[in-house]
Amino acid sequence: DRCLGCRACESACPAGVRYGSLLERARQQTVEESGGRRFLDFTLSSLTGRRASRFAYGLARLARIMRIAELGARFAPGRTGLAAGMLAATRRSTGKTESVNSGPSLNPPKSETRVSYALLEGCVMSGLYSHVHHATRRTLRRRGHAELSAPGQRCCGALHAHAGRLDAARDLARANIEAFENSGAEVIVTDSAGCGAAMRDYPEWLKDDADWQRRAESLTARVRDISELLAESTAAAPLTGSGPRVAYDAPCHRMHAQGLREAPLEALAASGYRGEPLPARERGSGGAGLYNLQ
């Protein structure tokens, strides 16, 4: 019950046991036996519900803009201060980044064709990290990729699965499978490690329904993390490039759940940066999604 779900055990296990799936099923059983947790359901609705989340994220952005979250992180005690600090950390960095001219051009040859993509917009990402979506779209546009819309897409379902609400997670997975199938996009791009990991788990979530599992497997084969797509579509520069040196903090759900270790570094190298993984990159940050709210 105290496991943070970083899934480092999956990277270490020689037998390839899917501990993340076991953890989610165990939590589902715990929730069913306990009769559910009202606070958890309220939190999930506030973060992922179509109407409730607009209000919740609107208030959160207001607190972030007015620096209320920053003040709370400094002076509020306990979990309140922790939550305020996490909210303050979602603010877009205002620091200036050194320009990079040593990497390969971001503009591909006109004769080169690029795959079309649809972006998983998600709930927390759209609500608090819209600047990341803008950067993803801008970068892929400069690389020559065409974006296709996917009307009807929903939250990826990760928060529900982590909280033991697998039935709700499956409903969201089915809605997303249908939406991305209808989009006609060649690949599905994610710029959130947790969301990407959840989409790759769709076949496991839906394994009790043969038809939906087949559709989930077809979708999962087209899911690409943003760094993965950039690494695939670029002749990556050597990892010891001559550009600015930047630290790379690997999200646990990108490294362990999706197995992506080199793609982020290759994407940085292709843009002229020298990516330096943090010494303890095998460990997660400790945030663990909803865990810190319980």
Side-chain angles (χ1 to χ4, degrees), residues 218-265:
S218 177
L219 179 77
T220 298
R222 296 186 287 131
V223 172
R224 296 288 187 278
D225 182 79
I226 174 62
S227 64
E228 191 179 12
L229 182 59
L230 291 176
E232 288 177 355
S233 62
T234 307
L239 297 183
T240 55
S242 58
R245 188 167 169 236
V246 297
Y248 170 62
D249 184 13
C252 54
H253 278 79
R254 178 176 289 136
M255 173 175 290
H256 301 303
Q258 300 188 69
L260 300 176
R261 285 173 165 74
E262 300 304 323
L265 298 174

Short mmCIF file of all heavy atoms in Angstrom, two decimals, residues 218-265:
data_model
loop_
_atom_site.label_atom_id
_atom_site.label_comp_id
_atom_site.label_asym_id
_atom_site.label_seq_id
_atom_site.Cartn_x
_atom_site.Cartn_y
_atom_site.Cartn_z
N SER A 218 -3.02 -2.44 -31.22
CA SER A 218 -2.76 -1.69 -32.45
C SER A 218 -2.43 -0.24 -32.14
O SER A 218 -1.52 0.36 -32.74
CB SER A 218 -4.00 -1.77 -33.36
OG SER A 218 -3.82 -1.00 -34.53
N LEU A 219 -3.15 0.35 -31.16
CA LEU A 219 -2.89 1.73 -30.78
C LEU A 219 -1.53 1.86 -30.10
O LEU A 219 -0.75 2.76 -30.41
CB LEU A 219 -3.98 2.23 -29.84
CG LEU A 219 -3.81 3.67 -29.35
CD1 LEU A 219 -4.20 4.65 -30.44
CD2 LEU A 219 -4.64 3.94 -28.09
N THR A 220 -1.25 0.95 -29.17
CA THR A 220 0.00 1.00 -28.42
C THR A 220 1.21 0.95 -29.33
O THR A 220 2.24 1.59 -29.06
CB THR A 220 0.05 -0.16 -27.41
OG1 THR A 220 -1.02 -0.02 -26.47
CG2 THR A 220 1.37 -0.17 -26.66
N ALA A 221 1.11 0.22 -30.42
CA ALA A 221 2.22 0.12 -31.37
C ALA A 221 2.53 1.45 -32.03
O ALA A 221 3.63 1.64 -32.57
CB ALA A 221 1.89 -0.92 -32.44
N ARG A 222 1.58 2.40 -31.96
CA ARG A 222 1.77 3.71 -32.58
C ARG A 222 2.07 4.81 -31.58
O ARG A 222 2.24 5.96 -31.96
CB ARG A 222 0.53 4.09 -33.40
CG ARG A 222 0.28 3.16 -34.57
CD ARG A 222 -0.87 3.65 -35.44
NE ARG A 222 -2.17 3.46 -34.82
CZ ARG A 222 -3.11 4.40 -34.72
NH1 ARG A 222 -2.88 5.63 -35.18
NH2 ARG A 222 -4.26 4.14 -34.14
N VAL A 223 2.12 4.48 -30.28
CA VAL A 223 2.39 5.49 -29.25
C VAL A 223 3.88 5.81 -29.23
O VAL A 223 4.73 4.92 -29.21
CB VAL A 223 1.93 4.99 -27.87
CG1 VAL A 223 2.39 5.95 -26.78
CG2 VAL A 223 0.42 4.83 -27.82
N ARG A 224 4.20 7.10 -29.24
CA ARG A 224 5.58 7.55 -29.19
C ARG A 224 5.73 8.68 -28.17
O ARG A 224 4.97 9.67 -28.21
CB ARG A 224 6.05 8.08 -30.55
CG ARG A 224 6.08 7.06 -31.67
CD ARG A 224 7.22 6.06 -31.49
NE ARG A 224 7.32 5.19 -32.64
CZ ARG A 224 6.56 4.12 -32.85
NH1 ARG A 224 5.65 3.79 -31.95
NH2 ARG A 224 6.72 3.38 -33.93
N ASP A 225 6.69 8.55 -27.29
CA ASP A 225 7.07 9.68 -26.45
C ASP A 225 7.69 10.74 -27.35
O ASP A 225 8.33 10.41 -28.36
CB ASP A 225 8.07 9.23 -25.39
CG ASP A 225 8.47 10.35 -24.45
OD1 ASP A 225 7.70 10.65 -23.53
OD2 ASP A 225 9.57 10.92 -24.66
N ILE A 226 7.56 12.01 -27.00
CA ILE A 226 8.07 13.09 -27.84
C ILE A 226 9.57 12.91 -28.10
O ILE A 226 10.05 13.10 -29.22
CB ILE A 226 7.77 14.48 -27.20
CG1 ILE A 226 8.43 15.60 -27.98
CG2 ILE A 226 8.18 14.52 -25.75
CD1 ILE A 226 7.97 15.74 -29.41
N SER A 227 10.31 12.53 -27.07
CA SER A 227 11.76 12.33 -27.25
C SER A 227 12.04 11.17 -28.18
O SER A 227 12.99 11.20 -28.98
CB SER A 227 12.42 12.10 -25.89
OG SER A 227 11.96 10.90 -25.30
N GLU A 228 11.21 10.14 -28.10
CA GLU A 228 11.37 8.97 -28.96
C GLU A 228 11.16 9.33 -30.42
O GLU A 228 11.93 8.92 -31.30
CB GLU A 228 10.37 7.91 -28.50
CG GLU A 228 10.55 6.54 -29.10
CD GLU A 228 9.53 5.57 -28.56
OE1 GLU A 228 8.55 6.01 -27.91
OE2 GLU A 228 9.70 4.36 -28.79
N LEU A 229 10.14 10.13 -30.67
CA LEU A 229 9.85 10.52 -32.06
C LEU A 229 10.96 11.41 -32.61
O LEU A 229 11.39 11.25 -33.76
CB LEU A 229 8.51 11.26 -32.13
CG LEU A 229 8.05 11.68 -33.53
CD1 LEU A 229 7.91 10.47 -34.43
CD2 LEU A 229 6.72 12.43 -33.46
N LEU A 230 11.46 12.33 -31.80
CA LEU A 230 12.55 13.19 -32.26
C LEU A 230 13.82 12.39 -32.53
O LEU A 230 14.54 12.65 -33.49
CB LEU A 230 12.83 14.27 -31.22
CG LEU A 230 11.75 15.34 -31.04
CD1 LEU A 230 12.11 16.28 -29.91
CD2 LEU A 230 11.54 16.11 -32.33
N ALA A 231 14.08 11.40 -31.67
CA ALA A 231 15.27 10.57 -31.88
C ALA A 231 15.13 9.72 -33.13
O ALA A 231 16.10 9.50 -33.86
CB ALA A 231 15.50 9.68 -30.66
N GLU A 232 13.91 9.24 -33.40
CA GLU A 232 13.68 8.41 -34.58
C GLU A 232 13.78 9.20 -35.87
O GLU A 232 14.27 8.70 -36.89
CB GLU A 232 12.29 7.77 -34.51
CG GLU A 232 12.14 6.67 -33.48
CD GLU A 232 10.73 6.13 -33.42
OE1 GLU A 232 9.85 6.69 -34.11
OE2 GLU A 232 10.49 5.16 -32.68
N SER A 233 13.33 10.44 -35.84
CA SER A 233 13.24 11.22 -37.08
C SER A 233 14.44 12.12 -37.32
O SER A 233 14.43 12.95 -38.21
CB SER A 233 11.96 12.08 -37.05
OG SER A 233 12.01 13.01 -35.99
N THR A 234 15.48 11.96 -36.51
CA THR A 234 16.67 12.80 -36.64
C THR A 234 17.91 11.93 -36.62
O THR A 234 18.00 11.01 -35.83
CB THR A 234 16.75 13.82 -35.48
OG1 THR A 234 15.53 14.54 -35.39
CG2 THR A 234 17.90 14.80 -35.72
N ALA A 235 18.85 12.24 -37.46
CA ALA A 235 20.15 11.58 -37.38
C ALA A 235 20.86 12.19 -36.19
O ALA A 235 21.51 13.23 -36.28
CB ALA A 235 20.94 11.80 -38.65
N ALA A 236 20.70 11.57 -35.03
CA ALA A 236 21.15 12.17 -33.77
C ALA A 236 22.64 12.44 -33.76
O ALA A 236 23.44 11.65 -34.24
CB ALA A 236 20.78 11.24 -32.60
N ALA A 237 22.99 13.59 -33.20
CA ALA A 237 24.40 13.95 -33.06
C ALA A 237 25.02 13.09 -31.96
O ALA A 237 24.32 12.53 -31.13
CB ALA A 237 24.51 15.43 -32.71
N PRO A 238 26.34 12.97 -31.92
CA PRO A 238 26.99 12.21 -30.85
C PRO A 238 26.60 12.77 -29.49
O PRO A 238 26.38 13.97 -29.34
CB PRO A 238 28.49 12.43 -31.13
CG PRO A 238 28.55 12.72 -32.58
CD PRO A 238 27.30 13.50 -32.89
N LEU A 239 26.50 11.90 -28.51
CA LEU A 239 26.08 12.33 -27.18
C LEU A 239 27.11 13.22 -26.51
O LEU A 239 26.84 13.83 -25.50
CB LEU A 239 25.80 11.11 -26.30
CG LEU A 239 24.66 10.20 -26.78
CD1 LEU A 239 24.44 9.07 -25.79
CD2 LEU A 239 23.38 10.98 -26.98
N THR A 240 28.29 13.32 -27.07
CA THR A 240 29.33 14.21 -26.52
C THR A 240 29.46 15.44 -27.40
O THR A 240 30.55 15.84 -27.79
CB THR A 240 30.68 13.47 -26.45
OG1 THR A 240 31.00 12.97 -27.77
CG2 THR A 240 30.61 12.31 -25.48
N GLY A 241 28.33 16.04 -27.76
CA GLY A 241 28.34 17.21 -28.62
C GLY A 241 28.98 18.40 -27.93
O GLY A 241 29.29 18.37 -26.75
N SER A 242 29.16 19.45 -28.69
CA SER A 242 29.89 20.62 -28.17
C SER A 242 28.96 21.72 -27.69
O SER A 242 29.42 22.81 -27.36
CB SER A 242 30.80 21.17 -29.28
OG SER A 242 30.02 21.52 -30.41
N GLY A 243 27.67 21.49 -27.65
CA GLY A 243 26.73 22.51 -27.22
C GLY A 243 26.67 22.65 -25.71
O GLY A 243 27.45 22.03 -24.98
N PRO A 244 25.74 23.47 -25.20
CA PRO A 244 25.59 23.66 -23.75
C PRO A 244 25.32 22.34 -23.04
O PRO A 244 24.65 21.46 -23.57
CB PRO A 244 24.40 24.61 -23.64
CG PRO A 244 24.33 25.29 -24.96
CD PRO A 244 24.80 24.30 -25.97
N ARG A 245 25.83 22.22 -21.84
CA ARG A 245 25.66 21.01 -21.04
C ARG A 245 24.42 21.17 -20.17
O ARG A 245 24.29 22.15 -19.44
CB ARG A 245 26.91 20.83 -20.18
CG ARG A 245 26.98 19.52 -19.43
CD ARG A 245 28.40 19.36 -18.89
NE ARG A 245 28.48 18.25 -17.94
CZ ARG A 245 28.91 18.35 -16.70
NH1 ARG A 245 29.29 19.53 -16.25
NH2 ARG A 245 28.95 17.31 -15.91
N VAL A 246 23.50 20.22 -20.27
CA VAL A 246 22.26 20.30 -19.51
C VAL A 246 22.07 19.01 -18.71
O VAL A 246 22.46 17.92 -19.14
CB VAL A 246 21.03 20.53 -20.43
CG1 VAL A 246 21.14 21.86 -21.14
CG2 VAL A 246 20.89 19.40 -21.45
N ALA A 247 21.46 19.14 -17.54
CA ALA A 247 21.17 17.98 -16.70
C ALA A 247 19.83 17.38 -17.12
O ALA A 247 18.88 18.11 -17.38
CB ALA A 247 21.13 18.38 -15.23
N TYR A 248 19.78 16.07 -17.19
CA TYR A 248 18.54 15.38 -17.56
C TYR A 248 18.06 14.54 -16.38
O TYR A 248 18.75 13.63 -15.93
CB TYR A 248 18.76 14.49 -18.79
CG TYR A 248 17.58 13.58 -19.06
CD1 TYR A 248 16.32 14.11 -19.36
CD2 TYR A 248 17.72 12.20 -19.02
CE1 TYR A 248 15.23 13.29 -19.59
CE2 TYR A 248 16.64 11.36 -19.25
CZ TYR A 248 15.40 11.91 -19.54
OH TYR A 248 14.32 11.10 -19.76
N ASP A 249 16.87 14.87 -15.87
CA ASP A 249 16.25 14.13 -14.78
C ASP A 249 15.23 13.18 -15.39
O ASP A 249 14.19 13.62 -15.87
CB ASP A 249 15.58 15.10 -13.80
CG ASP A 249 15.01 14.38 -12.59
OD1 ASP A 249 15.34 13.20 -12.39
OD2 ASP A 249 14.24 15.01 -11.84
N ALA A 250 15.52 11.90 -15.40
CA ALA A 250 14.67 10.92 -16.10
C ALA A 250 13.42 10.59 -15.28
O ALA A 250 13.53 10.12 -14.15
CB ALA A 250 15.47 9.64 -16.35
N PRO A 251 12.22 10.83 -15.83
CA PRO A 251 11.00 10.41 -15.14
C PRO A 251 10.95 8.90 -15.04
O PRO A 251 11.29 8.19 -15.99
CB PRO A 251 9.88 10.94 -16.05
CG PRO A 251 10.52 11.98 -16.90
CD PRO A 251 11.92 11.54 -17.09
N CYS A 252 10.53 8.38 -13.90
CA CYS A 252 10.53 6.93 -13.70
C CYS A 252 9.60 6.22 -14.68
O CYS A 252 9.90 5.11 -15.13
CB CYS A 252 10.16 6.59 -12.26
SG CYS A 252 8.63 7.30 -11.66
N HIS A 253 8.48 6.84 -15.05
CA HIS A 253 7.56 6.18 -15.96
C HIS A 253 8.04 6.24 -17.41
O HIS A 253 7.51 5.53 -18.26
CB HIS A 253 6.16 6.78 -15.83
CG HIS A 253 5.38 6.21 -14.69
ND1 HIS A 253 5.58 6.62 -13.40
CD2 HIS A 253 4.43 5.25 -14.64
CE1 HIS A 253 4.77 5.95 -12.59
NE2 HIS A 253 4.08 5.10 -13.32
N ARG A 254 9.00 7.08 -17.71
CA ARG A 254 9.62 7.04 -19.04
C ARG A 254 10.72 5.98 -19.06
O ARG A 254 10.85 5.23 -20.00
CB ARG A 254 10.18 8.40 -19.42
CG ARG A 254 10.89 8.41 -20.79
CD ARG A 254 11.35 9.79 -21.17
NE ARG A 254 10.23 10.65 -21.51
CZ ARG A 254 10.09 11.90 -21.10
NH1 ARG A 254 11.01 12.45 -20.32
NH2 ARG A 254 9.06 12.61 -21.47
N MET A 255 11.50 5.94 -17.99
CA MET A 255 12.65 5.03 -17.94
C MET A 255 12.23 3.59 -17.68
O MET A 255 12.62 2.67 -18.41
CB MET A 255 13.64 5.48 -16.86
CG MET A 255 14.77 4.50 -16.63
SD MET A 255 16.00 5.12 -15.46
CE MET A 255 16.75 6.40 -16.43
N HIS A 256 11.44 3.36 -16.64
CA HIS A 256 11.12 2.00 -16.23
C HIS A 256 9.87 1.45 -16.91
O HIS A 256 9.87 0.32 -17.38
CB HIS A 256 10.97 1.93 -14.72
CG HIS A 256 12.19 2.36 -13.98
ND1 HIS A 256 13.41 1.78 -14.16
CD2 HIS A 256 12.38 3.34 -13.05
CE1 HIS A 256 14.31 2.36 -13.38
NE2 HIS A 256 13.70 3.31 -12.69
N ALA A 257 8.79 2.22 -16.92
CA ALA A 257 7.53 1.72 -17.48
C ALA A 257 7.57 1.66 -19.01
O ALA A 257 6.99 0.75 -19.61
CB ALA A 257 6.37 2.59 -17.02
N GLN A 258 8.25 2.63 -19.64
CA GLN A 258 8.31 2.64 -21.10
C GLN A 258 9.65 2.15 -21.65
O GLN A 258 9.79 1.91 -22.85
CB GLN A 258 8.05 4.06 -21.63
CG GLN A 258 6.69 4.61 -21.25
CD GLN A 258 6.40 5.92 -21.95
OE1 GLN A 258 6.21 5.97 -23.16
NE2 GLN A 258 6.36 7.01 -21.19
N GLY A 259 10.63 2.02 -20.78
CA GLY A 259 11.92 1.50 -21.21
C GLY A 259 12.71 2.45 -22.09
O GLY A 259 13.53 2.01 -22.90
N LEU A 260 12.49 3.76 -21.93
CA LEU A 260 13.17 4.74 -22.77
C LEU A 260 14.32 5.38 -21.99
O LEU A 260 14.09 6.24 -21.14
CB LEU A 260 12.19 5.82 -23.24
CG LEU A 260 11.00 5.31 -24.07
CD1 LEU A 260 10.05 6.46 -24.40
CD2 LEU A 260 11.48 4.62 -25.34
N ARG A 261 15.53 4.96 -22.28
CA ARG A 261 16.69 5.49 -21.58
C ARG A 261 17.53 6.42 -22.46
O ARG A 261 18.00 7.46 -22.01
CB ARG A 261 17.56 4.33 -21.07
CG ARG A 261 16.99 3.63 -19.85
CD ARG A 261 17.80 2.40 -19.48
NE ARG A 261 17.48 1.92 -18.14
CZ ARG A 261 16.37 1.29 -17.82
NH1 ARG A 261 15.46 1.06 -18.76
NH2 ARG A 261 16.13 0.90 -16.58
N GLU A 262 17.75 6.04 -23.69
CA GLU A 262 18.66 6.78 -24.55
C GLU A 262 17.95 7.81 -25.44
O GLU A 262 18.55 8.80 -25.83
CB GLU A 262 19.46 5.83 -25.43
CG GLU A 262 20.32 4.84 -24.65
CD GLU A 262 21.28 5.53 -23.71
OE1 GLU A 262 21.80 6.61 -24.08
OE2 GLU A 262 21.50 5.01 -22.60
N ALA A 263 16.67 7.58 -25.75
CA ALA A 263 15.97 8.48 -26.66
C ALA A 263 15.98 9.94 -26.21
O ALA A 263 16.23 10.83 -27.03
CB ALA A 263 14.53 8.00 -26.87
N PRO A 264 15.73 10.25 -24.91
CA PRO A 264 15.79 11.66 -24.49
C PRO A 264 17.17 12.27 -24.69
O PRO A 264 17.29 13.44 -25.09
CB PRO A 264 15.41 11.59 -23.01
CG PRO A 264 14.61 10.34 -22.87
CD PRO A 264 15.25 9.38 -23.82
N LEU A 265 18.22 11.50 -24.43
CA LEU A 265 19.57 12.01 -24.60
C LEU A 265 19.89 12.20 -26.09
O LEU A 265 20.55 13.17 -26.47
CB LEU A 265 20.58 11.05 -23.98
CG LEU A 265 20.44 10.84 -22.46
CD1 LEU A 265 21.39 9.76 -21.98
CD2 LEU A 265 20.70 12.15 -21.72
#
